[in-house]
Amino acid sequence: MSFANWGKTKKQIEEEKAETEKFHREIRKDLEAHSRKLHEEHMERMRKSSEKQLKQWRLAQKGIYYEEF
């Protein structure tokens, strides 16, 4: 028994452990959702960049060169 559990009943310890595990599950779930959102945003930026490069390449094939600022 750790010092933090001193004087607590087994039921109290189990309840606190269950609450802590629930908290950790929720944190992991939030982290996964946030990571997924960041990944989707990154993929969208990459897609837009690729589309821009392809558009510039197609124009260059026609002899039209420009640079966006």
Side-chain angles (χ1 to χ4, degrees), residues 35-48:
S35 294
R36 190 176 322 110
K37 179 183 172 196
L38 290 177
H39 175 73
E40 290 171 359
E41 289 173 356
H42 177 69
M43 295 305 287
E44 182 67 18
R45 283 194 306 273
M46 287 178 54
R47 184 185 64 76
K48 286 181 180 179

Side-chain angles (χ1 to χ4, degrees), residues 9-22:
T9 65
K10 188 172 184 176
K11 184 178 178 183
Q12 288 173 322
I13 295 169
E14 290 173 359
E15 288 172 354
E16 288 179 2
K17 184 177 179 183
E19 288 176 18
T20 302
E21 289 172 353
K22 180 182 175 189

Side-chain angles (χ1 to χ4, degrees), residues 1-6 8 16:
M1 180 180 285
S2 68
F3 182 74
N5 294 333
W6 192 267
K8 295 180 183 176
E16 288 179 2

